[in-house]
Amino acid sequence: MLADYAGSVEKRVPGNRRMRRIAACLVLTLGLAPQAGLLAPRAVFAAPGGVDGLHAVPVQPVLHDGLNPQEGDASHASLFLPFDAQTGVAAFWSGPDFVVVADRPVPALAHASGGSGLFSSLDVTVLDTATLIRLHLPSHPQLSLSHQSDGWVLQGDTSARSGSSSGVTSHVAQVQVFRPGAVLFPQKQPGRIIALPDPASGGRLMIAPSRVASGGIAQGRQGVGYGVRPSLEGVVIAADSRQITLRSTAEGAVLDAVALHPLPVGQAPDAAQTDPHGQDWDWLGLSHAGNSSKPSTRLAAAQAAFAAGQPWQALKSLEEASPQGEAATDEKTQTAQTFLQAAASLLTGRIWQAQALNGAQFGDAPATRVWRGLYLMQTGQNSQNTSILLSAGFAQLQAYPAPVRALLLPQVATYVVRFGDEAEVNLLGTLPDDTAYDLARALLEARAGQTETARVALENLTASSSSQTTAYARAALVALMLERDMIAPTMAAEAYGKLLDNDGQPAALPVGPKATIRLGQAHALTLAGQPQAALAVLDSVRAGPDAPQDVLAAAYQAALKAMIFPEAASKAVTPQAANSAPLSATARFALVASHLRFVEDGAGKAKLLLGYGRQLLEAGQPDAAATAFAQAAAMLADPVARAEAEDLVAQAGLQAHRPALVQRALERATAPAMPDDLATQRAYDAARLAAESGDTAKALTLLAQDETDAGLDLRGKLYESEKRWPEAVLVIGRLATRGLPEEGVLTEPQRALALRLATDAAAAGDSETLLRLKGWLAGRTLGRERDALLAMQIRSIKPHSPAH
C-alpha cells in the first residue's frame, strides 16, 4: 500500500520530475503517512528510496576499513546528493566516518540534515574548493552509491554484512595501469584533485573524484611512500611521502613521485633504451638537425622546423593537409606527431594545445618528463614541483641543438634561480657566458649573498636593449634593496608603483615583468601595514610563469594574515597606514571572506580561518564563525590542533543555539595526550551544552574539577538555579577570593561579584561569609543601590548562624 501511495504521490506533486521523485521516495524510505503539505519540495537534501519509479538502484557493499560491522536492527535508508554533472565525487571510509568529497563548493548543503534515521549524523563542511560530507557510522553498515541523471544516491543497510575479504565488492572496479614512473587510474570523466587530511588519522590524502560512476577501488594496495585506499567512488591515495603527487589528466588520475631522487612508482624505466638521447629526440626530430635532405613527410618537415628553432613553422607543417598518396599514419608516427604538436604549441603560446605534455603518456616518461616541467612553468602551476622537473632535466635540455636551447634554457635557468631550492639551483651548473643568462646570473649572486655585485649587475641590466630584460632587472633591484633593508617597505611600494607606470620607457611594459612587479608591490605593501592595498594589487595578478599559483597564494596568505593579525604582521607600519581610517568590522570581514579562496588549503589557511572565526564570534556572528572554524578543522592534520578547532566550533554553536552542531563538534574535539587547558575547555563547553539541555547533574559532574573562572562561574549559576545556596557560596566564594582585591577601587564586574556572593550567602543563611565579605570590602563602595542591598542582607540574618 505504501509503495502504491508513493507512486500516486509522484504524479500529483507539482514541479519537475526530480522533485516529484524525491517526494515520493520520502514516503517509501521513511514510512511517512499522507499529510497536507508533506510533499512540497522543501529541503535540498531528501531521502529517496531504493526505487525511483523508473530505475532500480544497484546495491554495492562498501569497505569496512579494518572494523568489524556490528549487528543491529534491519534498517534501510537513502540520501540524495544533489551534485550536478560537472561535479566530481569520491566516497570512502575514514575510521568510523563515511566520507563523501565533491570537488566543488556547494553552499546550499551547508545546513543540510540527514533526518532521524541511519544518516542522522550527516555533517557538511563547505570549503572554498570542495564540499566535505561526513556520516558518523561506527558500525560500518553496508553502503552503496549510484549515479543518477540529477545527482547521486547513497543507500545504507545495517542488516547486511560484506562477504568479501577486503570488505568491498562491486560490479564495477577501477583498474590500475602501471607505467614507467607512474600509475594511471583510468577515469572516463575525471574531476579535480582534492588534498585533505584524513579525518580519522590526519594523514595526507589526495583524492581524485569522478563525475560519473566508476566503481571506486575494490582492493587497497601499498606502494613505496603511499597507499591506495579502498573506495566506493573515485581514487583515494594516502601519501606518506611528500614526494608523492596525484594529478588529473584526460585519461584519469596519475600518481607519481616528484623529487630529484624520486621513489620508485609504477614500472621501472626501460633499461634497454639504445638511443643515448631518448625518445624525445626521435619525436622532435632533433637527431636529424642540420640534415640538408628534403623532408619526405609533413612530420619530417615539422621536425626539421622545430629542430631549427622554428616551432611556429613546425605547427604550420603539421596542420597542413597530408600530401596525396602519403601512407596512413601508424601508431608510432601518431605518437610522434602528438608530442611534437604539444611541444611546438607550448613554445608558441598555444598552451591549451599542449596539455598532452602533462598527460599520462608523456608526463612521467624519463625522456619527456622535463617537458611536463615546461608545461607546468608556462601554466603557472606549483613552483616547487616545476623547479624539480626543470632542474632534473636541465642537462637533458643542454644537449638539444643550439636553436632549441636558445628557446628554452634561459627562461628555465631564470625560473629555477627564482623559485628553486639550493639543490635544484646546483643542478644548473655553470651558466653559459651569454647575455641571455645575465639576469639569472645576477639573481644567483643575490641568492649567494653577494649584494653589491648583484646590485651592480642588475643596474647594468636596466639599460638593456630588451624592454623585458630591463623591466625584470628593475623589479629585481627593488626586491634586493628591500630584502637587504636598504629601503623601507613604503619606499619599495612606491618604487614598484613607478615601475608599473613605466614612465620614460620606450616600449610598453611586458606581461611577465608586470606580474613580477605586482607581486613585489603587494609584498612591500603588506610589510608596510597596508594589507588592503596589497590585496587590491594581487587581484590584478593571474597565475603564470612569473607568478606560480603557490607563490600567488602565499602572497594572498601574507596579506590576509596582516589583516587578521595586524598586531604581529607589519614590519614597519607607515604613517600613511597608521593615520588612515580603519576599516569597519563589516568591511574587514567582507574583504577577508572574499579573498580566502585564493589561499591554498592547508595549515596556513587554517590559522587564518581560526583568527577570522574568533573575530566573527566576538562580533556576534556565531554562525559565520562556526563555518570558519569547521573549515579550519577540515584542513588541520595535527590531532590537537583539530581538537582545538572543533572545540571552537562547539563554542560558536553554543552562542548560535545549535545543540546538534555543538554535540558533533564536542565528539570530535578529542586527541591523544590532549593538553590540560584544552581538556578543561572541552569539559566546560560540554557542561554548557548539558546545562542548556536541562541536564544540570551532568553539567555539574563535568565541572567538578574545573577551577577556572569560567568554570566556577557556570557551576555557581547552576547551583543558584537549583537554589543550592551553600554549594553556591563555596563556589562563588572561591571566585571572589581570587577576583576581589584587598584594597583599591573595585571595577564594575568586581562589584557585581561581591553582591552576588552576598546574595548567595544571605540565601544560605551564612553570616560568617557575609561578615568576612564586609570586612574584606573595608568600607569600599559597591554603588549606592548595591551598598543598600548588602546592608539589608547583613541585617536579614542572625549573628553567628552556621555557615552551612
Side-chain angles (χ1 to χ4, degrees):
M1 291 294 293
L2 193 57
D4 293 340
Y5 174 72
S8 67
V9 162
E10 184 174 349
K11 298 176 183 177
R12 295 203 310 265
V13 174
N16 60 29
R17 182 174 66 84
R18 170 186 170 190
M19 295 310 302
R20 292 198 301 271
R21 175 161 59 83
I22 293 173
C25 290
L26 276 168
V27 178
L28 281 173
T29 305
L30 304 179
L32 298 175
Q35 294 179 21
L38 172 67
L39 300 176
R42 295 166 52 193
V44 194
F45 261 65
V51 178
D52 64 1
L54 294 175
H55 305 91
V57 180
V59 176
Q60 299 173 229
V62 76
L63 161 73
H64 291 287
D65 202 23
L67 298 177
N68 294 323
Q70 300 174 1
E71 288 288 350
D73 295 333
S75 175
H76 299 77
S78 295
L79 191 66
F80 180 73
L81 307 175
F83 299 132
D84 63 27
Q86 300 304 312
T87 302
V89 174
F92 56 97
W93 283 103
S94 175
D97 290 351
F98 185 72
V99 180
V100 180
V101 176
D103 65 358
R104 289 189 177 191
V106 186
L109 303 185
H111 299 293
S113 169
S116 58
L118 179 63
F119 300 131
S120 61
S121 63
L122 176 75
D123 184 48
V124 181
T125 303
V126 180
L127 305 174
D128 290 323
T129 56
T131 301
L132 179 64
I133 297 174
R134 294 172 63 176
L135 294 159
H136 189 63
L137 302 169
S139 62
H140 278 221
Q142 176 178 293
L143 299 178
S144 68
L145 187 67
S146 60
H147 189 210
Q148 305 295 324
S149 60
D150 51 359
W152 296 73
V153 176
L154 178 66
Q155 289 187 307
D157 182 1
T158 58
S159 64
R161 287 178 177 270
S162 172
S164 68
S165 59
S166 68
V168 63
T169 58
S170 175
H171 67 291
V172 178
Q174 287 188 339
V175 297
Q176 302 172 36
V177 180
F178 292 85
R179 297 194 171 191
V183 180
L184 167 66
F185 300 89
Q187 292 176 307
K188 291 182 179 179
Q189 295 186 31
R192 190 174 53 81
I193 302 299
I194 301 296
L196 287 172
D198 184 355
S201 68
R204 177 173 167 242
L205 292 184
M206 295 180 296
I207 303 164
S210 175
R211 295 177 184 174
V212 296
S214 66
I217 302 293
Q219 297 286 346
R221 185 180 67 82
Q222 285 298 126
V224 180
Y226 72 95
V228 182
R229 295 271 292 270
S231 62
L232 198 59
E233 188 55 67
V235 178
V236 182
I237 304 297
D240 301 321
S241 169
R242 300 301 301 182
Q243 292 187 17
I244 301 299
T245 68
L246 189 69
R247 70 182 188 276
S248 181
T249 71
E251 299 91 339
V254 177
L255 180 146
D256 72 342
V258 178
L260 296 181
H261 304 287
L263 295 170
V265 174
Q267 296 175 343
D270 186 3
Q273 174 65 256
T274 56
D275 189 335
H277 293 305
Q279 287 182 309
D280 53 331
W281 279 65
D282 290 336
W283 291 336
L284 297 175
L286 305 182
S287 301
H288 308 293
N291 191 335
S292 59
S293 61
K294 185 177 181 179
S296 59
T297 65
R298 63 174 179 147
L299 174 60
Q303 290 173 330
F306 188 90
Q310 300 173 6
W312 54 91
Q313 183 61 46
L315 281 180
K316 182 178 179 181
S317 297
L318 287 174
E319 292 167 357
E320 289 175 352
S322 299
Q324 186 69 27
E326 185 173 320
T329 302
D330 58 18
E331 182 178 354
K332 182 178 180 181
T333 302
Q334 183 60 51
T335 300
Q337 289 179 349
T338 300
F339 182 72
L340 176 59
Q341 184 167 30
S345 296
L346 185 72
L347 298 187
T348 55
R350 300 184 184 182
I351 308 299
W352 65 95
Q353 293 181 343
Q355 294 180 6
L357 299 176
N358 192 42
Q361 184 174 14
F362 303 120
D364 298 284
T368 53
R369 192 172 167 91
V370 67
W371 281 91
R372 176 179 157 205
L374 292 168
Y375 176 83
L376 297 183
M377 178 178 70
Q378 292 300 330
T379 53
Q381 298 190 47
N382 184 277
S383 66
Q384 297 176 28
N385 291 342
T386 303
S387 296
I388 290 171
L389 294 173
L390 292 178
S391 60
F394 194 74
Q396 177 183 344
L397 296 178
Q398 283 179 310
Y400 280 9
V404 182
R405 289 201 308 268
L407 294 175
L408 299 175
L409 287 183
Q411 59 178 324
V412 168
T414 303
Y415 185 97
V416 174
V417 171
R418 288 180 65 188
F419 302 114
D421 63 20
E422 202 62 33
E424 292 151 17
V425 170
N426 289 338
L427 287 178
L428 301 181
T430 302
L431 297 178
D433 187 13
D434 187 293
T435 57
Y437 298 89
D438 285 348
L439 179 61
R441 269 192 293 271
L443 296 177
L444 274 174
E445 291 166 347
R447 283 185 63 131
Q450 301 173 18
T451 303
E452 186 59 22
T453 304
R455 186 186 65 79
V456 172
L458 290 172
E459 284 185 349
N460 291 335
L461 286 175
T462 61
S464 170
S465 59
S466 165
S467 61
Q468 181 155 297
T469 299
T470 297
Y472 278 128
R474 296 171 79 192
L477 188 59
V478 176
L480 176 66
M481 297 177 73
L482 174 61
E483 184 181 354
R484 299 294 192 269
D485 290 326
M486 299 167 69
I487 57 175
T490 180
M491 186 179 296
E494 292 173 0
Y496 281 124
K498 291 178 180 179
L499 294 184
L500 287 173
D501 292 338
N502 205 34
D503 288 342
Q505 296 301 307
L509 185 63
V511 174
K514 188 179 293 185
T516 300
I517 293 169
R518 283 175 172 159
L519 279 177
Q521 186 182 36
H523 174 62
L525 288 168
T526 298
L527 293 178
Q530 301 178 57
Q532 183 181 359
L535 291 174
V537 171
L538 291 173
D539 286 343
S540 61
V541 181
R542 296 295 176 265
D546 293 278
Q549 184 59 54
D550 58 318
V551 174
L552 182 56
Y556 272 110
Q557 182 174 323
L560 287 171
K561 182 179 179 182
M563 181 161 286
I564 296 172
F565 307 104
E567 66 285 349
S570 62
K571 180 179 179 181
V573 178
T574 64
Q576 177 184 354
N579 297 329
S580 60
L583 283 174
S584 66
T586 301
R588 186 174 71 254
F589 292 158
L591 200 60
V592 171
S594 64
H595 286 86
L596 277 168
R597 60 191 175 93
F598 297 117
V599 180
E600 290 185 347
D601 290 348
K605 184 172 182 176
K607 184 176 181 180
L608 297 180
L609 286 164
L610 292 175
Y612 175 52
R614 286 188 172 97
Q615 292 178 350
L616 289 168
L617 200 58
E618 292 174 1
Q621 300 184 36
D623 286 307
T627 298
F629 293 143
Q631 290 174 336
M635 297 177 196
L636 290 167
D638 179 72
V640 173
R642 277 193 292 163
E644 182 178 6
E646 292 287 5
D647 186 73
L648 288 170
V649 175
Q651 292 178 39
L654 285 165
Q655 194 175 119
H657 305 292
R658 296 169 59 186
L661 173 66
V662 177
Q663 184 61 48
R664 285 196 305 269
L666 289 174
E667 289 170 356
R668 294 176 185 162
T670 58
M674 187 156 44
D676 291 342
D677 58 343
L678 180 55
T680 299
Q681 180 65 49
R682 181 186 180 279
Y684 171 77
D685 293 331
R688 286 181 62 191
L689 177 62
E692 289 192 6
S693 303
D695 193 343
T696 303
K698 180 180 179 181
L700 288 170
T701 300
L702 290 166
L703 293 169
Q705 305 302 320
D706 190 341
E707 290 296 318
T708 65
D709 288 358
L712 293 174
D713 177 65
L714 179 56
R715 206 186 325 175
K717 289 177 180 177
L718 293 171
Y719 284 136
E720 290 163 350
S721 67
E722 295 199 332
K723 295 182 172 51
R724 295 166 60 176
W725 304 115
E727 291 98 325
V729 170
L730 287 175
V731 172
I732 303 304
R734 291 206 296 279
L735 196 59
T737 298
R738 70 176 69 157
L740 298 180
E742 189 171 357
E743 57 185 23
V745 177
L746 299 178
T747 64
E748 179 58 26
Q750 290 169 345
R751 294 174 179 180
L753 176 60
L755 183 62
R756 180 182 179 187
L757 176 59
T759 301
D760 290 348
D766 187 345
S767 60
E768 289 187 26
T769 296
L770 278 170
L771 294 174
R772 282 201 304 270
L773 177 61
K774 180 181 179 182
W776 185 266
L777 294 175
R780 289 176 290 177
T781 181
L782 301 182
R784 181 180 301 176
E785 293 184 2
R786 290 195 182 106
D787 286 343
L789 286 172
L790 178 60
M792 184 186 305
Q793 288 161 348
I794 292 175
R795 289 195 302 270
S796 68
I797 62 170
K798 298 177 181 179
H800 310 300
S801 62
H804 308 294

